Amino acid sequence: MRKITRRSFLTAAVACGAAAALSACGGSSSASSVAASSTVASASVAAAANGEKFTVGICQLVQHAALDAATQGFEDALTASFGENVTFDFQNAQGDSATCATIANGFVSSGVALIMANATPALQAAQAATNTIPILGTSVTEYGVALGLDNFSGTVGGNVSGTSDLAPLDQQADMIVEWMPEVKKVGLLYCSAEANSQYQVDEVQKYLEAKGVTATQYAFSDSNDLSSVCQKAADENDALYVPTDNTVAANTGIVDGICRPAKKPVFAGEEGICSGCGVATLSIDYHQLGEVTGEMAYNILVKGEDPATMEIKYAPDTTKMYNADICQELGITPPDGYTAIEA
């Protein structure tokens, strides 16, 4: 039986702005922080040897299928290892970066053994909150972009490591052309507040333009202007592409309500978005990604591994998937090699 503590969702505004949540912790890569992180890891090993219990804080940016699956995989992996000796303090920021900061600071005050930060703003907030408690990110596309790291080469340093949900962006561009060989114009829809969404659309734009396709970026600032920006993108393009964008993932109904009636196919960066509004995706398994993150947490808590030296890990597999209902309604026949998303 899993033993999980879930606090109610936080809704209060924090005194500091969202910018504080997005700032990098300058001391996270210092020698003093590495030493402190090692001290925490040593204490965790001793606790495990004595059969003591761990409390792990989980900060999830927003509720949607991909992030939910990553959190579940993380919990499943640690529960399989610790049984009732692990307690999860799960908190959902409801899409607010400032609330991520509140949650992360609360974890530091309560002295959790480890913080799992699910999505980029959660990771940024956790890093800003502590340079001693081990932090593992998940569902973060590119750690160098997320944390403002120069010459990122696989390790973050300090007390931070984790897993990435980056799927091959060149293959996602290939997917669009495979499904629509005559496509001329593709709109790239993303939230400008999500640094990793910007990174993905920049890359996909380059790959599409190399194929002779006109790719135009359509940025919205939050869910309030998603509808108007999506409508403009649908009006001006043959198809849309959406990266692993948390704001779209939490509001797929808005995109579907515009694009499906307009007969404009949407290609998605992950399965959850595709099942809500897309025709096809090249997706990773987020539950599996969470499990890998949980295995990393076990290695920190029990084996004493140092996050500073742990390379960012990636999902081992990607899968070509399609949304059968939307394809049928739009009259699109999936190419060979794609698997229908289960309803």
Side-chain angles (χ1 to χ4, degrees):
M1 178 70 65
R2 283 191 301 176
K3 185 176 182 182
I4 302 175
T5 299
R6 297 185 182 272
R7 297 183 192 168
S8 60
F9 292 168
L10 294 178
T11 56
V14 292
C16 60
L22 300 180
S23 63
C25 179
S28 64
S29 60
S30 67
S32 60
S33 68
V34 172
S37 179
S38 297
T39 300
V40 172
S42 297
S44 298
V45 172
N50 295 329
E52 297 179 17
K53 297 182 178 181
F54 296 99
T55 297
V56 174
I58 300 176
C59 177
Q60 181 171 313
L61 173 63
V62 67
Q63 182 178 7
H64 64 69
L67 299 191
D68 291 348
T71 291
Q72 190 63 57
F74 177 78
E75 292 179 352
D76 288 348
L78 281 183
T79 300
S81 297
F82 290 112
E84 294 188 354
N85 286 332
V86 61
T87 298
F88 301 105
D89 184 354
F90 172 92
Q91 298 192 38
N92 188 315
Q94 298 188 36
D96 184 21
S97 297
T99 304
C100 287
T102 300
I103 294 170
N105 288 326
F107 288 158
V108 174
S109 296
S110 63
V112 298
L114 181 142
I115 297 173
M116 193 277 266
N118 195 345
T120 297
L123 177 66
Q124 293 166 330
Q127 190 199 39
T130 178
N131 60 6
T132 56
I133 296 173
I135 298 168
L136 291 175
T138 195
S139 311
V140 176
T141 304
E142 216 284 340
Y143 280 72
V145 172
L147 299 178
L149 304 175
D150 294 328
N151 302 317
F152 173 68
S153 59
T155 57
V156 174
N159 60 324
V160 179
S161 188
T163 57
S164 168
D165 62 354
L166 179 64
L169 298 175
D170 57 339
Q171 294 179 35
Q172 292 194 1
D174 290 342
M175 172 184 66
I176 297 171
V177 177
E178 179 185 17
W179 279 67
M180 300 182 68
E182 304 302 320
V183 67
K184 300 298 183 184
K185 297 190 294 183
V186 175
L188 311 175
L189 182 67
Y190 71 102
C191 180
S192 59
E194 299 188 36
N196 273 313
S197 292
Q198 180 73 68
Y199 168 78
Q200 290 174 81
V201 296
D202 286 345
E203 292 296 306
V204 170
Q205 182 176 26
K206 288 190 298 184
Y207 291 125
L208 285 174
E209 290 178 345
K211 297 176 180 294
V213 178
T214 299
T216 305
Q217 297 187 14
Y218 294 82
F220 59 92
S221 58
D222 55 36
S223 59
N224 294 320
D225 64 341
L226 170 58
S227 179
S228 60
V229 174
C230 181
Q231 184 67 62
K232 179 177 175 60
D235 290 343
E236 297 178 352
N237 294 277
D238 305 318
L240 271 64
Y241 169 78
V242 179
T244 55
D245 187 283
N246 291 295
T247 308
V248 174
N251 295 277
T252 55
I254 294 175
V255 177
D256 188 48
I258 293 170
C259 294
R260 196 189 311 206
K263 305 297 183 182
K264 298 298 176 70
V266 177
F267 296 90
E270 57 92 9
E271 179 183 347
I273 295 175
C274 187
S275 58
C277 65
V279 296
T281 183
L282 179 65
S283 184
I284 67 166
D285 184 330
Y286 277 83
H287 187 277
Q288 185 181 54
L289 191 71
E291 290 178 328
V292 172
T293 315
E295 292 166 1
M296 295 176 72
Y298 178 85
N299 289 338
I300 291 170
L301 295 173
V302 175
K303 297 183 178 180
E305 290 195 21
D306 187 348
T309 61
M310 299 176 77
E311 290 194 354
I312 301 303
K313 294 189 176 182
Y314 297 81
D317 303 307
T318 56
T319 304
K320 294 180 175 181
M321 309 187 80
Y322 73 96
N323 186 320
D325 290 340
I326 295 181
C327 285
Q328 182 176 11
E329 187 165 339
L330 298 186
I332 298 175
T333 301
D336 293 338
Y338 285 80
T339 302
I341 297 173
E342 295 183 3

